[in-house]
PDB file of all heavy atoms in Angstrom:
ATOM      1  N   PHE A1158      18.817   6.970 -22.264  1.00 89.00           N
ATOM      2  CA  PHE A1158      19.918   7.047 -23.285  1.00 89.00           C
ATOM      3  C   PHE A1158      19.412   6.504 -24.599  1.00 89.00           C
ATOM      4  O   PHE A1158      18.429   5.846 -24.708  1.00 89.00           O
ATOM      5  CB  PHE A1158      21.174   6.187 -22.872  1.00 89.00           C
ATOM      6  CG  PHE A1158      20.930   4.692 -22.648  1.00 89.00           C
ATOM      7  CD1 PHE A1158      20.937   3.866 -23.742  1.00 89.00           C
ATOM      8  CD2 PHE A1158      20.628   4.186 -21.368  1.00 89.00           C
ATOM      9  CE1 PHE A1158      20.751   2.531 -23.604  1.00 89.00           C
ATOM     10  CE2 PHE A1158      20.384   2.798 -21.225  1.00 89.00           C
ATOM     11  CZ  PHE A1158      20.451   1.976 -22.351  1.00 89.00           C
ATOM     12  N   LYS A1159      20.225   6.919 -25.635  1.00 91.00           N
ATOM     13  CA  LYS A1159      19.904   6.482 -27.026  1.00 91.00           C
ATOM     14  C   LYS A1159      21.182   5.944 -27.602  1.00 91.00           C
ATOM     15  O   LYS A1159      22.237   6.556 -27.464  1.00 91.00           O
ATOM     16  CB  LYS A1159      19.415   7.699 -27.829  1.00 91.00           C
ATOM     17  CG  LYS A1159      18.960   7.249 -29.213  1.00 91.00           C
ATOM     18  CD  LYS A1159      18.371   8.415 -29.944  1.00 91.00           C
ATOM     19  CE  LYS A1159      17.868   8.045 -31.409  1.00 91.00           C
ATOM     20  NZ  LYS A1159      17.322   9.131 -32.156  1.00 91.00           N
ATOM     21  N   VAL A1160      21.044   4.792 -28.247  1.00 89.00           N
ATOM     22  CA  VAL A1160      22.143   4.149 -28.941  1.00 89.00           C
ATOM     23  C   VAL A1160      21.833   4.144 -30.434  1.00 89.00           C
ATOM     24  O   VAL A1160      20.818   3.703 -30.855  1.00 89.00           O
ATOM     25  CB  VAL A1160      22.430   2.741 -28.434  1.00 89.00           C
ATOM     26  CG1 VAL A1160      23.605   2.103 -29.129  1.00 89.00           C
ATOM     27  CG2 VAL A1160      22.499   2.648 -26.911  1.00 89.00           C
ATOM     28  N   LYS A1161      22.745   4.753 -31.241  1.00 89.00           N
ATOM     29  CA  LYS A1161      22.509   4.846 -32.702  1.00 89.00           C
ATOM     30  C   LYS A1161      23.659   4.047 -33.392  1.00 89.00           C
ATOM     31  O   LYS A1161      24.887   4.185 -33.042  1.00 89.00           O
ATOM     32  CB  LYS A1161      22.538   6.288 -33.091  1.00 89.00           C
ATOM     33  CG  LYS A1161      22.105   6.473 -34.583  1.00 89.00           C
ATOM     34  CD  LYS A1161      22.053   7.969 -34.936  1.00 89.00           C
ATOM     35  CE  LYS A1161      21.561   8.176 -36.376  1.00 89.00           C
ATOM     36  NZ  LYS A1161      21.453   9.568 -36.750  1.00 89.00           N
ATOM     37  N   ASP A1163      25.562   3.482 -36.675  1.00 77.00           N
ATOM     38  CA  ASP A1163      25.946   4.032 -38.016  1.00 77.00           C
ATOM     39  C   ASP A1163      27.129   3.278 -38.491  1.00 77.00           C
ATOM     40  O   ASP A1163      28.223   3.373 -38.024  1.00 77.00           O
ATOM     41  CB  ASP A1163      26.259   5.514 -37.860  1.00 77.00           C
ATOM     42  CG  ASP A1163      25.023   6.363 -37.517  1.00 77.00           C
ATOM     43  OD1 ASP A1163      23.955   5.999 -37.918  1.00 77.00           O
ATOM     44  OD2 ASP A1163      25.178   7.351 -36.737  1.00 77.00           O
ATOM     45  N   THR A1166      30.074   2.179 -36.479  1.00 76.00           N
ATOM     46  CA  THR A1166      30.253   2.978 -35.221  1.00 76.00           C
ATOM     47  C   THR A1166      28.975   2.908 -34.401  1.00 76.00           C
ATOM     48  O   THR A1166      27.892   2.943 -34.947  1.00 76.00           O
ATOM     49  CB  THR A1166      30.609   4.458 -35.553  1.00 76.00           C
ATOM     50  OG1 THR A1166      31.727   4.504 -36.369  1.00 76.00           O
ATOM     51  CG2 THR A1166      30.819   5.244 -34.262  1.00 76.00           C
ATOM     52  N   ILE A1167      29.132   2.899 -33.108  1.00 80.00           N
ATOM     53  CA  ILE A1167      27.970   2.918 -32.182  1.00 80.00           C
ATOM     54  C   ILE A1167      28.133   4.199 -31.357  1.00 80.00           C
ATOM     55  O   ILE A1167      29.120   4.424 -30.718  1.00 80.00           O
ATOM     56  CB  ILE A1167      27.946   1.752 -31.193  1.00 80.00           C
ATOM     57  CG1 ILE A1167      27.911   0.389 -31.944  1.00 80.00           C
ATOM     58  CG2 ILE A1167      26.736   1.836 -30.269  1.00 80.00           C
ATOM     59  CD1 ILE A1167      27.935  -0.779 -31.090  1.00 80.00           C
ATOM     60  N   HIS A1168      27.078   5.087 -31.402  1.00 81.00           N
ATOM     61  CA  HIS A1168      27.005   6.259 -30.627  1.00 81.00           C
ATOM     62  C   HIS A1168      26.100   6.044 -29.476  1.00 81.00           C
ATOM     63  O   HIS A1168      24.915   5.820 -29.654  1.00 81.00           O
ATOM     64  CB  HIS A1168      26.524   7.447 -31.519  1.00 81.00           C
ATOM     65  CG  HIS A1168      27.459   7.810 -32.596  1.00 81.00           C
ATOM     66  ND1 HIS A1168      28.567   8.581 -32.491  1.00 81.00           N
ATOM     67  CD2 HIS A1168      27.361   7.418 -33.941  1.00 81.00           C
ATOM     68  CE1 HIS A1168      29.097   8.667 -33.675  1.00 81.00           C
ATOM     69  NE2 HIS A1168      28.481   8.007 -34.562  1.00 81.00           N
ATOM     70  N   PHE A1169      26.678   6.148 -28.232  1.00 81.00           N
ATOM     71  CA  PHE A1169      25.870   5.939 -27.024  1.00 81.00           C
ATOM     72  C   PHE A1169      25.750   7.284 -26.370  1.00 81.00           C
ATOM     73  O   PHE A1169      26.662   7.832 -25.875  1.00 81.00           O
ATOM     74  CB  PHE A1169      26.616   4.969 -26.087  1.00 81.00           C
ATOM     75  CG  PHE A1169      25.817   4.494 -24.952  1.00 81.00           C
ATOM     76  CD1 PHE A1169      25.285   3.245 -24.926  1.00 81.00           C
ATOM     77  CD2 PHE A1169      25.663   5.301 -23.881  1.00 81.00           C
ATOM     78  CE1 PHE A1169      24.491   2.784 -23.822  1.00 81.00           C
ATOM     79  CE2 PHE A1169      24.917   4.885 -22.769  1.00 81.00           C
ATOM     80  CZ  PHE A1169      24.336   3.638 -22.755  1.00 81.00           C
ATOM     81  N   THR A1170      24.475   7.801 -26.281  1.00 83.00           N
ATOM     82  CA  THR A1170      24.207   9.206 -25.875  1.00 83.00           C
ATOM     83  C   THR A1170      23.313   9.234 -24.631  1.00 83.00           C
ATOM     84  O   THR A1170      22.307   8.573 -24.524  1.00 83.00           O
ATOM     85  CB  THR A1170      23.516   9.986 -27.034  1.00 83.00           C
ATOM     86  OG1 THR A1170      24.304   9.838 -28.197  1.00 83.00           O
ATOM     87  CG2 THR A1170      23.340  11.388 -26.614  1.00 83.00           C
ATOM     88  N   ASN A1171      23.860   9.989 -23.662  1.00 79.00           N
ATOM     89  CA  ASN A1171      23.051  10.246 -22.461  1.00 79.00           C
ATOM     90  C   ASN A1171      22.155  11.435 -22.797  1.00 79.00           C
ATOM     91  O   ASN A1171      22.545  12.536 -23.106  1.00 79.00           O
ATOM     92  CB  ASN A1171      23.969  10.644 -21.296  1.00 79.00           C
ATOM     93  CG  ASN A1171      23.198  10.927 -20.000  1.00 79.00           C
ATOM     94  OD1 ASN A1171      21.974  10.943 -20.020  1.00 79.00           O
ATOM     95  ND2 ASN A1171      23.965  11.073 -18.917  1.00 79.00           N
ATOM     96  N   LEU A1172      20.829  11.188 -22.696  1.00 73.00           N
ATOM     97  CA  LEU A1172      19.835  12.194 -23.131  1.00 73.00           C
ATOM     98  C   LEU A1172      19.739  13.399 -22.201  1.00 73.00           C
ATOM     99  O   LEU A1172      19.186  14.436 -22.563  1.00 73.00           O
ATOM    100  CB  LEU A1172      18.504  11.577 -23.356  1.00 73.00           C
ATOM    101  CG  LEU A1172      18.406  10.465 -24.428  1.00 73.00           C
ATOM    102  CD1 LEU A1172      16.995   9.979 -24.595  1.00 73.00           C
ATOM    103  CD2 LEU A1172      18.942  11.048 -25.749  1.00 73.00           C
ATOM    104  N   SER A1173      20.208  13.239 -20.931  1.00 67.00           N
ATOM    105  CA  SER A1173      20.087  14.359 -19.996  1.00 67.00           C
ATOM    106  C   SER A1173      21.076  15.490 -20.406  1.00 67.00           C
ATOM    107  O   SER A1173      20.721  16.612 -20.184  1.00 67.00           O
ATOM    108  CB  SER A1173      20.459  13.877 -18.605  1.00 67.00           C
ATOM    109  OG  SER A1173      21.746  13.359 -18.488  1.00 67.00           O
ATOM    110  N   ASP A1174      22.253  15.147 -20.862  1.00 65.00           N
ATOM    111  CA  ASP A1174      23.132  16.222 -21.272  1.00 65.00           C
ATOM    112  C   ASP A1174      23.676  16.103 -22.725  1.00 65.00           C
ATOM    113  O   ASP A1174      24.670  16.750 -23.120  1.00 65.00           O
ATOM    114  CB  ASP A1174      24.325  16.254 -20.305  1.00 65.00           C
ATOM    115  CG  ASP A1174      25.047  14.924 -20.197  1.00 65.00           C
ATOM    116  OD1 ASP A1174      24.802  14.056 -21.053  1.00 65.00           O
ATOM    117  OD2 ASP A1174      25.877  14.803 -19.282  1.00 65.00           O
ATOM    118  N   SER A1175      23.148  15.102 -23.412  1.00 62.00           N
ATOM    119  CA  SER A1175      23.488  14.908 -24.867  1.00 62.00           C
ATOM    120  C   SER A1175      25.004  14.549 -25.061  1.00 62.00           C
ATOM    121  O   SER A1175      25.609  14.849 -26.118  1.00 62.00           O
ATOM    122  CB  SER A1175      23.168  16.107 -25.719  1.00 62.00           C
ATOM    123  OG  SER A1175      21.800  16.373 -25.673  1.00 62.00           O
ATOM    124  N   SER A1176      25.618  13.994 -24.050  1.00 63.00           N
ATOM    125  CA  SER A1176      27.002  13.652 -24.160  1.00 63.00           C
ATOM    126  C   SER A1176      27.175  12.263 -24.775  1.00 63.00           C
ATOM    127  O   SER A1176      26.320  11.361 -24.594  1.00 63.00           O
ATOM    128  CB  SER A1176      27.714  13.661 -22.762  1.00 63.00           C
ATOM    129  OG  SER A1176      27.142  12.743 -21.960  1.00 63.00           O
ATOM    130  N   ILE A1177      28.267  12.013 -25.543  1.00 63.00           N
ATOM    131  CA  ILE A1177      28.509  10.726 -26.087  1.00 63.00           C
ATOM    132  C   ILE A1177      29.404   9.956 -25.053  1.00 63.00           C
ATOM    133  O   ILE A1177      30.487  10.379 -24.753  1.00 63.00           O
ATOM    134  CB  ILE A1177      29.259  10.802 -27.422  1.00 63.00           C
ATOM    135  CG1 ILE A1177      28.310  11.496 -28.435  1.00 63.00           C
ATOM    136  CG2 ILE A1177      29.652   9.454 -27.948  1.00 63.00           C
ATOM    137  CD1 ILE A1177      28.921  11.692 -29.818  1.00 63.00           C
ATOM    138  N   PHE A1178      28.923   8.882 -24.599  1.00 58.00           N
ATOM    139  CA  PHE A1178      29.701   8.019 -23.658  1.00 58.00           C
ATOM    140  C   PHE A1178      30.858   7.352 -24.243  1.00 58.00           C
ATOM    141  O   PHE A1178      31.962   7.333 -23.724  1.00 58.00           O
ATOM    142  CB  PHE A1178      28.727   7.115 -22.884  1.00 58.00           C
ATOM    143  CG  PHE A1178      27.927   7.689 -21.856  1.00 58.00           C
ATOM    144  CD1 PHE A1178      26.718   7.092 -21.438  1.00 58.00           C
ATOM    145  CD2 PHE A1178      28.401   8.777 -21.150  1.00 58.00           C
ATOM    146  CE1 PHE A1178      25.965   7.626 -20.437  1.00 58.00           C
ATOM    147  CE2 PHE A1178      27.580   9.365 -20.155  1.00 58.00           C
ATOM    148  CZ  PHE A1178      26.410   8.822 -19.761  1.00 58.00           C
ATOM    149  N   TYR A1179      30.575   6.695 -25.372  1.00 59.00           N
ATOM    150  CA  TYR A1179      31.640   5.972 -26.002  1.00 59.00           C
ATOM    151  C   TYR A1179      31.390   5.646 -27.459  1.00 59.00           C
ATOM    152  O   TYR A1179      30.232   5.682 -27.858  1.00 59.00           O
ATOM    153  CB  TYR A1179      31.962   4.692 -25.265  1.00 59.00           C
ATOM    154  CG  TYR A1179      30.966   3.635 -25.263  1.00 59.00           C
ATOM    155  CD1 TYR A1179      30.721   2.740 -26.343  1.00 59.00           C
ATOM    156  CD2 TYR A1179      30.081   3.489 -24.163  1.00 59.00           C
ATOM    157  CE1 TYR A1179      29.730   1.834 -26.442  1.00 59.00           C
ATOM    158  CE2 TYR A1179      29.027   2.497 -24.233  1.00 59.00           C
ATOM    159  CZ  TYR A1179      28.894   1.676 -25.287  1.00 59.00           C
ATOM    160  OH  TYR A1179      27.885   0.730 -25.275  1.00 59.00           O
ATOM    161  N   THR A1180      32.367   5.390 -28.191  1.00 59.00           N
ATOM    162  CA  THR A1180      32.196   5.018 -29.578  1.00 59.00           C
ATOM    163  C   THR A1180      33.163   3.801 -29.800  1.00 59.00           C
ATOM    164  O   THR A1180      34.252   3.772 -29.541  1.00 59.00           O
ATOM    165  CB  THR A1180      32.647   6.140 -30.524  1.00 59.00           C
ATOM    166  OG1 THR A1180      31.884   7.308 -30.224  1.00 59.00           O
ATOM    167  CG2 THR A1180      32.502   5.768 -32.037  1.00 59.00           C
ATOM    168  N   VAL A1181      32.545   2.686 -30.372  1.00 58.00           N
ATOM    169  CA  VAL A1181      33.287   1.489 -30.624  1.00 58.00           C
ATOM    170  C   VAL A1181      33.036   1.020 -32.010  1.00 58.00           C
ATOM    171  O   VAL A1181      32.129   1.363 -32.692  1.00 58.00           O
ATOM    172  CB  VAL A1181      32.872   0.376 -29.565  1.00 58.00           C
ATOM    173  CG1 VAL A1181      33.161   0.839 -28.193  1.00 58.00           C
ATOM    174  CG2 VAL A1181      31.406   0.013 -29.699  1.00 58.00           C
TER     175      VAL A1181
END
Side-chain angles (χ1 to χ4, degrees):
F1158 62 83
K1159 184 176 181 179
V1160 183
K1161 190 175 181 181
D1163 293 326
T1166 305
I1167 302 176
H1168 298 277
F1169 190 102
T1170 307
N1171 182 351
L1172 297 184
S1173 62
D1174 57 11
S1175 298
S1176 61
I1177 296 178
F1178 280 155
Y1179 64 82
T1180 302
V1181 298

